[in-house]
Amino acid sequence: MSHLNINEQKIVRKMINTLLPLDLTPETEIGRRIQTLKEKMALAGVDGVFLSHRPDYYYFSGSGQEAWLYVALEHEPLLFVKRYLPRAVAESPLTQIVPVHSVTEIPQIIKDSHGGFPKTMGIAFDLVPVRDFRFYQSLFFGCNWQDATPLIMSCRAIKSEYELGIMQDVGKISSRVFNFIADNLEPGIRETDLAGRIEAFARTQGHSGRLQTRHYRSVGFTFHIMGGESGGQSGALDSPVCGTGMYTAYPFGAGTRVIEKNDPVLIDLGTMAFGYHMDESRMFVAGKMGNQADAASQAAIDILYHVKDAMKPGVAMKTIFQMSVTMAKKLGYGEQFLGLPGLKSKFLGHGIGIELVEDPIISKSRSTELEPGMVFAVEPKFIFKDRFAAGIESVIQITETGSRFLSTVPNKVFMV
């Protein structure tokens, strides 16, 4: 096997680190993640896992270079790097980092290193295209294949103290951006023009400029701005609110509508920095918000605090969802809650971390119980058809005894 030894890796890391401001994942953190994955593999009867999705192999290796990661129960992980080896060596604390020109070289390297293929190979069935999967089957001939997605996502569902610290730092960036919005929202500006200003500022604060999404039909856009009646339009996005977008080919997010004085404006901001996400929404108004929009905005805040108080270890996720629906009806907003009639979202919140939307989901049918370390973006929102949207979204962490906000943006309506 051709790869750098430990001393060579240290030299490369030192050289690269003088050139790039790397946010390196500690070796102890990567080791904990690998060990957790192996424990779950053993319980599931999976001997090896082959990771090809960038967020997945980044989580377990610490590097987002073009690579594949192979984790076997009885061996050290192998990180196969196609491009760019020096960066991968500098970024990942793994000791087995192997340069390859093609994925076709990997099977022979595994055979030479481990004495053969695993009996059962896990791969992320939710992501790998059929063509690629069939190709991998031909490369690793004779393996029994199993879906590794539940193993991967269950590892990522519980955030460590290290991860929570990073997400708090991302939350600080998001908070500064929301303050910028409050200082720059003004009547007469188009939604898209405001989005451009926000994005430019957010990049100066450390925003990566994009979001990571998992499902091949999903879209990740950073700024969701819905002023007045543009918030009252349902659409293609699997979310309580959608926005109009600018084009028929991409009908999501900010559109060309001009934000007027006294418009209720719902702004949903996705932030990615240091490899992690925050997802938050707040209501804004340049002037004075109308009574109905103001009341609905406060109702969303009340629902948020109501469910947060109930979010604690051992509580089923579907119980939290139903609590939100019951309260919305009690407050008189059952028709508008989580979308228009017939188009209502079936979730109240989603896991968040390396990707914008992660498992688990707080949905109407999810019986999974909350556990310490889980983190959710919780978003009680309303649509008033053809008039406006109102709502809030904050990130909540499950603790040993209850829950707490990771979001630091005040849970309020911003009066500009």
Side-chain angles (χ1 to χ4, degrees):
M1 180 179 3
S2 174
H3 61 84
L4 302 178
N5 63 41
I6 293 176
N7 288 332
E8 290 172 329
Q9 289 183 31
K10 289 180 179 179
I11 293 172
V12 173
R13 285 193 180 106
K14 184 177 180 179
M15 178 183 67
I16 294 294
N17 287 346
T18 62
L19 303 175
L20 298 169
L22 298 175
D23 49 315
L24 301 180
T25 308
E27 182 177 355
T28 53
E29 179 71 11
I30 293 298
R32 180 195 64 80
R33 296 174 185 181
I34 293 291
Q35 182 59 35
T36 301
L37 176 59
K38 286 187 175 183
E39 291 170 1
K40 293 179 181 296
M41 289 166 58
L43 290 173
V46 176
D47 306 304
V49 170
F50 189 68
L51 302 175
S52 60
H53 180 52
R54 192 180 309 273
D56 287 346
Y57 65 73
Y58 167 75
Y59 177 80
F60 290 107
S61 74
S63 177
Q65 298 300 304
E66 185 178 2
W68 298 266
L69 178 64
Y70 174 66
V71 180
L73 271 179
E74 305 299 329
H75 302 275
E76 290 296 310
L78 291 168
L79 181 64
F80 299 98
V81 181
K82 182 177 180 180
R83 186 184 297 113
Y84 171 58
L85 181 66
R87 279 287 301 268
V89 170
E91 293 166 354
S92 176
L94 297 180
T95 59
Q96 303 296 312
I97 303 177
V98 186
V100 294
H101 295 291
S102 168
V103 68
T104 59
E105 301 171 30
I106 293 176
Q108 189 60 51
I109 296 173
I110 291 176
K111 279 186 175 181
D112 293 342
S113 177
H114 296 173
F117 296 149
K119 181 179 179 181
T120 302
M121 178 80 87
I123 197 168
F125 281 179
D126 67 323
L127 290 167
V128 178
V130 173
R131 183 177 64 179
D132 287 5
F133 176 61
R134 288 174 176 167
F135 181 58
Y136 294 148
Q137 281 183 308
S138 69
L139 292 179
F140 298 96
F141 184 76
C143 290
N144 295 318
W145 293 84
Q146 185 168 320
D147 186 10
T149 301
L151 308 180
I152 298 164
M153 300 312 296
S154 63
C155 289
R156 288 170 45 184
I158 307 298
K159 271 59 179 182
S160 67
E161 289 300 319
Y162 168 78
E163 292 179 281
L164 294 172
I166 291 179
M167 295 187 75
Q168 287 177 307
D169 289 340
V170 181
K172 293 174 184 177
I173 294 175
S174 180
S175 184
R176 293 196 292 269
V177 175
F178 273 106
N179 288 335
F180 175 86
I181 297 170
D183 292 337
N184 286 269
L185 176 63
E186 58 188 6
I189 189 172
R190 296 193 311 169
E191 293 174 359
T192 50
D193 296 340
L194 178 60
R197 293 186 188 180
I198 297 170
E199 181 168 1
F201 176 77
R203 293 304 300 272
T204 70
Q205 301 304 299
H207 196 302
S208 68
R210 63 153 295 164
L211 307 177
Q212 299 271 34
T213 58
R214 189 168 188 88
H215 195 278
Y216 78 101
R217 286 171 63 89
S218 67
V219 291
F221 50 94
T222 50
F223 306 106
H224 204 167
I225 300 175
M226 294 158 286
E229 61 264 23
S230 69
Q233 310 298 316
S234 193
L237 191 67
D238 182 15
S239 170
V241 293
C242 181
T244 62
M246 294 182 65
Y247 307 107
T248 54
Y250 199 85
F252 315 103
T256 56
R257 183 187 180 278
V258 174
I259 296 173
E260 303 291 351
K261 184 178 180 180
N262 303 329
D263 274 345
V265 183
L266 176 58
I267 298 183
D268 189 332
L269 170 62
T271 303
M272 180 188 173
F274 317 114
Y276 283 78
H277 295 76
M278 292 290 280
D279 190 8
E280 298 162 299
S281 302
R282 295 295 183 272
M283 293 297 297
F284 289 79
V285 60
K288 181 177 174 58
M289 189 176 287
N291 291 338
Q292 189 174 33
D294 186 58
S297 299
Q298 186 57 53
I301 295 172
D302 291 343
I303 293 172
L304 176 68
Y305 277 96
H306 180 61
V307 298
K308 178 195 169 294
D309 289 343
M311 293 174 68
K312 58 186 65 176
V315 177
M317 295 177 192
K318 64 181 182 182
T319 300
I320 301 300
F321 177 88
Q322 190 55 52
M323 286 179 64
S324 71
V325 173
T326 299
M327 187 171 183
K329 291 178 179 178
K330 182 179 179 180
L331 295 173
Y333 297 105
E335 182 177 343
Q336 296 85 12
F337 189 52
L338 298 182
L340 298 175
L343 294 172
K344 293 185 179 297
S345 293
K346 297 178 181 179
F347 69 93
L348 175 70
H350 55 83
I352 184 169
I354 292 288
E355 290 170 301
L356 181 69
V357 177
E358 296 186 345
D359 196 64
I361 308 296
I362 300 177
S363 65
K364 66 183 300 182
S365 59
R366 189 69 178 262
S367 59
T368 306
E369 294 182 353
L370 298 173
E371 296 181 43
M374 288 181 173
V375 178
F376 298 94
V378 180
E379 48 182 319
K381 294 174 181 174
F382 307 98
I383 289 186
F384 293 80
K385 184 172 173 57
D386 299 326
R387 297 178 59 204
F388 62 87
I392 192 168
E393 181 174 16
S394 284
V395 177
I396 297 174
Q397 173 208 340
I398 307 301
T399 66
E400 294 292 335
T401 57
S403 63
R404 70 178 182 120
F405 285 113
L406 282 185
S407 295
T408 59
V409 183
N411 295 308
K412 68 172 188 177
V413 175
F414 283 78
M415 312 290 288
V416 180

